[in-house]
Amino acid sequence: MIKTKRQSIRLPKSILPLRYKLTIRPDLESFTFSGQEIIYINIKKPITSITLHAKDLDIETVEIFQKDNSQFASKINYNTKSETTTFYFKNKTRIGKAKLSIIFSGIINDSLRGFYRSRYEINGITKHIATTQFEATDARRAFPCFDEPAHKAIFDVSLIIPNEHTAISNTLPIKIAPHEAGYKIVSFSPTPKMSTYLLAFIIGDFEYIENHTKNNVKVRVFTTHGKKHQAKFALEVAIKSLEFYEEYFNIPYPLKTLDMIAIPDFESGAMENWGAITYRETAILVDENHTALPNKQWVALVIAHEIAHQWFGNLVTMHWWTDLWLNEGFASYIEYLAIDHIFPNWKIWNHFMISDHNVALSLDGLKNSHPIEVKVNHPNEINEIFDKISYSKGAAIIRMLAKYLGEETFRTGLHYYLKKHSFKNTSTINLWESLEKVSGKPVGQIMKTWTRQTGYPLISINPNIHNSDTIEIKQERFLVNRAVRKETPQNNLWTIPLEINNEKILLKQKKIEINNNFIGKINKGENAFIRVNYTIDQLNLIKNDILENKLSPIDRLAIIRDLFALAEGGYIKTSFVLEYTLIYRNETEYMVWSEISQGISKIHNLIALEKFNQKYQKYVLNLFTPLANKKGFEPKVKENHEDVFLRNLSIAKSGIYGDQKIINQAQILFKERLKKSINKDIRGSIYQIVASNGNEKEWATFEKLYKEEKMQEEKDRLARALASFKDKNLLSKTLNFALSNNVRIQDSPFMIIAVWQNVYGRDIAWSFVKNNWTNLNKKYGQGGHFINKLLSPLENHIAIKDIIDIDKFFSKNTTPGAERALEQAKEKIITNASWVKADKLDIERWLNKNF
Ligand code: BES
Ligand code: ZN
């Protein structure tokens, strides 16, 4: 069980902020800043103290003005636990409007949160950017404020900066005036009424490109010097996305400009600050010669995601973080709609199945998952829920609802919701109310079964032993851990919009009987967020549909996806799914192969160090080598989007699982890369194949390349290569390299994770993390979501003894905000261990028989 009995630490509701006049003067040499603000507030009852959020700030003076009175705070108290500061006044204030004037200072930190610095080099000269990342609760590190999403206010930002620097904020400057020697003061026009977490200011030396939408919104993309040519694609996608959403939501974008800024050091992928979206470089920059297609696609999706937030999140904001999913789940859904519109040839919804829908099903199969609407108080708990449940499950159930209501009704409902709540805050229920109003359907009734309880249903379709004219459809919670399943009472029910035999029903009951005219796969198109457990007979029927190409790619994918999960959970034998994959030999769609390859990796993770792994490799190659041979190494003239993905996947799998011809070819391409550069779309895989078959020499080459490389995307590929060796000493070197000055703070965790995910690096990476915990926790802990990412490879461990180790370690090293992630990891380890125990022999026998 998770022990998080943190008391509520919300601000009192007796004082409301209306407007902030905020002036910040950053010093990019000492990495400090001074600030001054006037907060216009509304006092609802007489008070002698005011509590605001503040963290790592020094507050010099506080004065309150009311009518003709003013008084200084007689005492200033800091409460580091609740991240607040309280100002005490001798005389009770009156009810009504007041001005609070505060002078303060702080540091421009290097922990990627609050007001922080980013470092880069131009021609050997070190330069800095000062920038902000406030979501979820870090505006309080930059200025004392009411740092809760419901406390919306108007912001007038002024920045005092050196003449040669550029300042960017949510709106455009209205005035740039000379300040003292060498400095200017840039004053931005007032923002709309908005939450603190969406404020941003960025100071540095940038170049940019710009264009405008058909409704004349100016869109600009800022990069550090020498990179603006990589901003073109982002600018195009941003303009098209903005235009798409203006039309789709039927509400104009309320600002005059949309700026997007590429920041060399960035914690997450991107942040939707209103009018000033910040990005990690790999989430925005595209170099037509070097950016691989999946990366380019990622850039497009991230941009569409952040721009969607300008409405869903910024214009209408959740009341409290419990409803974070409204922001993130929705944006994670609608980004696909926008990209599908902009790039119809990409068939982007297929990618939704392999990067969101399936991921959500996996995580939510754990008992230690959580409901979409989840109670949170402390910042650590808030940061913890920026996870696959809020994002991917959120997106999947929105998709389910949109399909159920019909996309046009859904859209009308969204318009109604956004219009009604513009510049205000909402809870989940408000969205359901709007959709109910326009559709006349019981949206709230249906959806609360999906957002308020953990997990999702496994539908089983069973013959009726008493009456062969009917079959029974039953729902129960899917739980992947067989031990947990046995001891968990099955009393959850979901209301499922379900398609069976081309008929749409709303399944609410535990069991129903329907006519036995079974025609194959149910839930066509995978609209409902469920898994299905068919009988062997039914699977035999479905097998024919697959072979005769009667099922859509999404449906073919779903069948094999669920079989892998059912094997993992012990509902069926693993040999069954292995055998079933052989049906897919002639599969042509990338998304299906991608799903199969994910399933194959999971099983490989269990048995990689077993002797019979050799046979497993044979089995994998039996599937992937013909594909790799068919796709070849060279792009074909007339190939589609998916083919590029499939070429890369088939080369990667064949090479990694030991196809000698592919390995040789990869090594040749690598050796000759200076004569002929390796095609961008397979370059990452070539590196990994070379590394996984390489030694010291290759390690040194990759290290050198990493150090010299300027492009972040290429650096990421090289990082993965450095993590793909088999030799433990080399992997140890990679781990040390990850924490050296050669690797950015934003990138070290990913390098460590990559080693940890490599079966040969598993134990040394875990030891490394334990040995360097103080350092890692200092850099990434304290509620950062990095720490949960960093710990995620624990879920690949398969030995029960590791659980004892984890418990022992974290009982000494408490890690607030990682509690749930650790419980999830342990549940996964037990799942893995029982899977191996139950099916190792079964897998070995099947392999012996077939390979
Ligand atoms: N609002 C988030 C950024 C964020 C993430 C802030 C975590 C605070 C904590 C942003 O909209 C986002 O979701 N970014 C994603 C990319 C997106 C395409 C899924 C990210 O950064 O990974
Ligand atoms: Zn988001």
Side-chain angles (χ1 to χ4, degrees):
M1 278 311 288
I2 303 169
K3 297 173 226 89
T4 46
K5 285 224 182 72
R6 297 176 185 124
Q7 97 267 33
S8 171
I9 47 168
R10 305 278 292 274
L11 294 178
K13 296 190 176 78
S14 46
I15 308 166
L16 299 177
L18 304 169
R19 190 165 189 148
Y20 295 75
K21 296 212 158 152
L22 176 65
T23 305
I24 299 274
R25 178 175 180 153
D27 181 339
L28 277 177
E29 258 139 49
S30 63
F31 303 122
T32 56
F33 65 92
S34 51
Q36 184 196 337
E37 68 180 336
I38 296 170
I39 314 179
Y40 295 74
I41 55 178
N42 198 354
I43 300 176
K44 298 246 169 117
K45 63 171 195 222
I47 41 164
T48 52
S49 73
I50 296 180
T51 297
L52 297 186
H53 284 109
K55 188 175 159 81
D56 301 337
L57 292 176
D58 258 323
I59 296 169
E60 210 171 291
T61 57
V62 177
E63 192 177 1
I64 189 164
F65 298 85
Q66 263 191 319
K67 294 252 166 83
D68 2 307
N69 292 331
S70 81
Q71 55 175 325
F72 283 96
S74 55
K75 199 169 78 177
I76 299 170
N77 251 3
Y78 298 93
N79 184 341
T80 41
K81 264 215 178 113
S82 62
E83 306 184 350
T84 55
T85 174
T86 303
F87 312 138
Y88 295 90
F89 300 100
K90 289 243 161 69
N91 306 321
K92 227 177 201 172
T93 67
R94 279 185 285 194
I95 292 179
K97 300 224 162 124
K99 282 196 303 188
L100 199 57
S101 168
I102 308 173
I103 295 175
F104 57 95
S105 60
I107 42 169
I108 306 178
N109 69 63
D110 64 352
S111 57
L112 312 181
R113 292 196 272 154
F115 195 23
Y116 75 92
R117 60 187 191 258
S118 171
R119 205 178 76 113
Y120 64 100
E121 266 179 28
I122 297 272
N123 303 328
I125 299 167
T126 299
K127 303 208 166 200
H128 287 97
I129 291 168
T131 183
T132 56
Q133 168 59 45
F134 288 164
E135 194 179 16
T137 55
D138 288 315
R140 63 192 67 170
R141 293 186 194 228
F143 60 106
C145 57
F146 297 81
D147 200 10
E148 293 183 358
H151 282 306
K152 289 195 174 186
I154 294 166
F155 295 85
D156 304 271
V157 174
S158 295
L159 298 167
I160 302 171
I161 60 168
N163 279 332
E164 68 276 13
H165 274 168
T166 306
I168 304 163
S169 189
N170 305 76
T171 53
L172 281 178
I174 26 174
K175 194 171 151 204
I176 303 180
H179 197 64
E180 57 198 48
Y183 279 77
K184 60 188 172 187
I185 176 159
V186 184
S187 309
F188 295 88
S189 61
T191 67
K193 204 173 158 205
M194 65 180 221
S195 308
T196 45
Y197 80 90
L198 292 168
L199 194 71
F201 31 91
I202 303 107
I203 299 104
D205 189 9
F206 295 104
E207 57 181 23
Y208 69 91
I209 57 172
E210 72 168 75
N211 208 333
H212 50 82
T213 66
K214 37 179 204 241
N215 293 337
N216 226 7
V217 177
K218 176 156 56 166
V219 182
R220 304 185 290 185
V221 184
F222 291 79
T223 69
T224 57
H225 274 271
K227 292 190 172 176
K228 72 175 181 198
H229 65 285
Q230 296 175 15
K232 272 216 217 84
F233 179 72
L235 184 61
E236 267 171 47
V237 174
I239 286 177
K240 286 184 181 149
S241 300
L242 204 59
E243 289 173 350
F244 171 77
Y245 292 129
E246 282 200 324
E247 200 177 310
Y248 181 84
F249 295 130
N250 193 15
I251 296 176
Y253 174 73
L255 299 175
K256 290 201 183 96
T257 44
L258 174 63
D259 286 340
M260 311 209 298
I261 309 98
I263 310 280
D265 295 278
F266 201 82
E267 185 174 26
S268 59
M271 175 64 213
E272 71 266 26
N273 316 303
W274 213 348
I277 307 174
T278 42
Y279 294 81
R280 183 181 272 249
E281 289 193 335
T282 47
I284 185 168
L285 299 182
V286 168
D287 183 318
E288 291 301 335
N289 294 321
H290 297 287
T291 297
L293 196 54
N295 294 69
K296 186 171 173 174
Q297 179 179 299
W298 172 241
V299 166
L301 285 168
V302 178
I303 292 171
H305 176 104
E306 305 309 337
I307 295 183
H309 278 315
Q310 308 300 306
W311 285 262
F312 234 91
N314 302 6
L315 184 62
V316 179
T317 314
M318 69 263 145
H319 237 286
W320 180 244
W321 301 104
T322 291
D323 286 310
L324 170 71
W325 87 279
L326 272 183
N327 267 12
E328 298 303 349
F330 184 84
S332 298
Y333 163 80
I334 208 88
E335 63 183 74
Y336 285 91
L337 206 68
I339 295 305
D340 192 38
H341 172 81
I342 301 171
F343 301 102
N345 297 336
W346 285 8
K347 297 198 220 141
I348 200 69
W349 281 108
N350 290 351
H351 289 267
F352 179 81
M353 296 312 292
I354 52 177
S355 25
D356 283 281
H357 195 103
N358 66 350
V359 178
L361 287 170
S362 289
L363 179 53
D364 210 27
L366 295 177
K367 181 162 188 224
N368 285 295
S369 178
H370 64 85
I372 283 182
E373 294 179 70
V374 54
K375 215 176 167 134
V376 285
N377 287 308
H378 192 274
N380 291 333
E381 295 173 326
I382 295 168
N383 280 307
E384 204 173 19
I385 59 169
F386 283 84
D387 69 355
K388 298 288 174 204
I389 297 300
S390 303
Y391 280 74
S392 301
K393 184 182 180 185
I397 63 156
I398 292 212
R399 174 171 170 269
M400 172 169 73
L401 179 61
K403 297 274 187 193
Y404 168 69
L405 296 177
E407 316 241 355
E408 262 321 298
T409 308
F410 179 70
R411 172 179 169 176
T412 315
L414 290 181
H415 169 77
Y416 181 84
Y417 166 82
L418 288 171
K419 199 84 195 164
K420 179 164 175 198
H421 301 286
S422 284
F423 305 103
K424 299 199 195 91
N425 296 80
T426 56
S427 307
T428 299
I429 187 81
N430 299 116
L431 178 59
W432 303 156
E433 278 164 5
S434 294
L435 290 163
E436 239 164 58
K437 192 171 166 86
V438 301
S439 69
K441 289 191 174 147
V443 177
Q445 280 300 321
I446 299 172
M447 293 311 284
K448 79 168 193 244
T449 68
W450 297 94
T451 59
R452 298 213 174 144
Q453 51 186 358
T454 312
Y456 58 87
L458 172 68
I459 301 288
S460 53
I461 307 170
N462 304 306
N464 183 343
I465 35 175
H466 306 296
N467 175 1
S468 63
D469 293 341
T470 65
I471 47 175
E472 176 195 89
I473 310 266
K474 191 172 112 194
Q475 59 163 309
E476 62 188 351
R477 179 167 169 194
F478 176 82
L479 281 164
V480 74
N481 187 315
R482 42 196 109 186
V484 161
R485 187 160 73 241
K486 276 207 200 96
E487 64 206 29
T488 310
Q490 278 283 358
N491 42 23
N492 306 61
L493 285 179
W494 285 264
T495 302
I496 315 165
L498 191 60
E499 175 275 340
I500 302 178
N501 289 351
N502 295 322
E503 219 180 285
K504 290 189 172 134
I505 62 165
L506 211 48
L507 177 63
K508 296 180 194 156
Q509 307 87 324
K510 180 103 193 145
K511 287 181 193 170
I512 57 166
E513 304 255 318
I514 60 166
N515 285 339
N516 186 5
N517 52 349
F518 186 78
I519 55 163
K521 186 187 179 291
I522 68 165
N523 194 25
K524 296 255 169 64
E526 289 294 292
N527 297 343
F529 189 68
I530 60 171
R531 292 194 194 275
V532 184
N533 194 0
Y534 297 95
T535 63
I536 305 277
D537 288 346
Q538 290 155 4
L539 282 167
N540 281 333
L541 277 177
I542 292 172
K543 181 196 277 187
N544 292 333
D545 286 350
I546 292 173
L547 289 169
E548 289 164 24
N549 222 355
K550 286 190 188 149
L551 288 182
S552 75
I554 287 192
D555 292 321
R556 300 201 294 273
L557 169 154
I559 293 291
I560 200 71
R561 177 200 67 206
D562 287 353
L563 286 176
F564 274 115
L566 290 166
E568 183 181 4
Y571 292 86
I572 62 171
K573 276 287 165 199
T574 306
S575 56
F576 187 86
V577 62
L578 290 172
E579 181 79 29
Y580 212 85
T581 56
L582 301 180
I583 300 165
Y584 286 77
R585 274 209 186 93
N586 296 321
E587 177 58 55
T588 51
E589 290 280 333
Y590 165 70
M591 65 182 305
V592 184
W593 279 116
S594 170
E595 193 66 49
I596 293 172
S597 116
Q598 291 182 39
I600 280 176
S601 300
K602 268 196 183 168
I603 296 173
H604 183 242
N605 179 58
L606 305 176
I607 56 138
L609 304 176
E610 302 286 342
K611 243 186 160 170
F612 64 85
N613 181 47
Q614 277 189 353
K615 293 236 161 137
Y616 192 72
Q617 287 184 295
K618 262 195 175 163
Y619 151 72
V620 179
L621 292 181
N622 182 276
L623 287 174
F624 281 97
T625 304
L627 203 59
N629 291 338
K630 201 163 107 203
K631 294 284 154 198
F633 281 76
E634 290 297 322
K636 309 247 175 353
V637 191
K638 257 202 186 152
E639 66 185 355
N640 60 36
H641 189 73
E642 306 279 285
D643 285 332
V644 180
F645 282 71
L646 192 49
R647 163 173 311 103
N648 184 46
L649 178 72
S650 60
I651 291 176
K653 290 292 145 188
S654 309
I656 300 295
Y657 283 89
D659 183 293
Q660 204 51 51
K661 254 176 60 195
I662 301 276
I663 295 170
N664 293 345
Q665 180 72 8
Q667 286 167 335
I668 292 170
L669 288 176
F670 186 68
K671 215 154 115 213
E672 298 182 342
R673 69 185 184 281
L674 295 179
K675 274 185 253 155
K676 179 172 183 287
S677 89
I678 307 169
N679 177 276
K680 56 193 193 303
D681 296 314
I682 59 168
R683 200 182 294 164
S685 299
I686 300 297
Y687 290 173
Q688 281 181 55
I689 295 169
V690 169
S692 72
N693 293 285
N695 53 38
E696 280 89 0
K697 189 170 139 250
E698 283 77 16
W699 193 91
T701 309
F702 284 123
E703 187 210 28
K704 182 161 173 284
L705 290 172
Y706 188 95
K707 284 182 182 164
E708 289 166 358
E709 182 57 50
K710 291 271 172 288
M711 188 199 185
Q712 199 54 47
E713 180 190 335
E714 179 72 8
K715 263 187 191 294
D716 287 358
R717 283 192 280 266
L718 294 162
R720 253 171 276 130
L722 284 165
S724 299
F725 286 83
K726 293 203 174 92
D727 182 290
K728 287 205 167 47
N729 290 327
L730 296 177
L731 292 174
S732 274
K733 278 169 71 173
T734 304
L735 290 168
N736 288 321
F737 183 71
L739 286 187
S740 72
N741 286 338
N742 295 296
V743 180
R744 288 183 182 279
I745 293 178
Q746 66 161 11
D747 297 323
S748 311
F750 296 103
M751 211 181 255
I752 298 169
I753 290 169
V755 175
W756 203 343
Q757 282 169 340
N758 174 344
V759 285
Y760 302 99
R762 183 181 296 159
D763 292 337
I764 56 167
W766 171 221
S767 299
F768 179 84
V769 167
K770 282 186 287 188
N771 293 334
N772 290 279
W773 188 252
T774 317
N775 183 5
L776 289 168
N777 193 34
K778 197 167 130 245
K779 273 192 191 151
Y780 306 110
Q782 296 148 36
H785 22 99
F786 254 143
I787 208 78
N788 288 343
K789 256 188 208 143
L790 179 65
L791 293 173
S792 65
L794 278 174
E795 69 175 39
N796 299 331
H797 287 232
I798 55 176
I800 292 286
K801 69 169 173 36
D802 292 358
I803 295 183
I804 300 163
D805 195 26
I806 293 170
D807 281 336
K808 210 171 102 200
F809 183 75
F810 287 102
S811 68
K812 276 188 253 138
N813 301 279
T814 42
T815 310
E819 292 90 349
R820 187 184 287 116
L822 286 171
E823 290 306 315
Q824 290 170 346
K826 289 193 288 182
E827 190 180 343
K828 269 285 197 183
I829 297 173
I830 300 174
T831 305
N832 293 340
S834 29
W835 191 4
V836 177
K837 192 164 163 224
D839 280 3
K840 192 166 111 180
L841 246 166
D842 170 63
I843 299 170
E844 187 176 2
R845 274 203 210 111
W846 184 83
L847 289 168
N848 281 335
K849 195 172 112 217
N850 292 281
F851 293 92

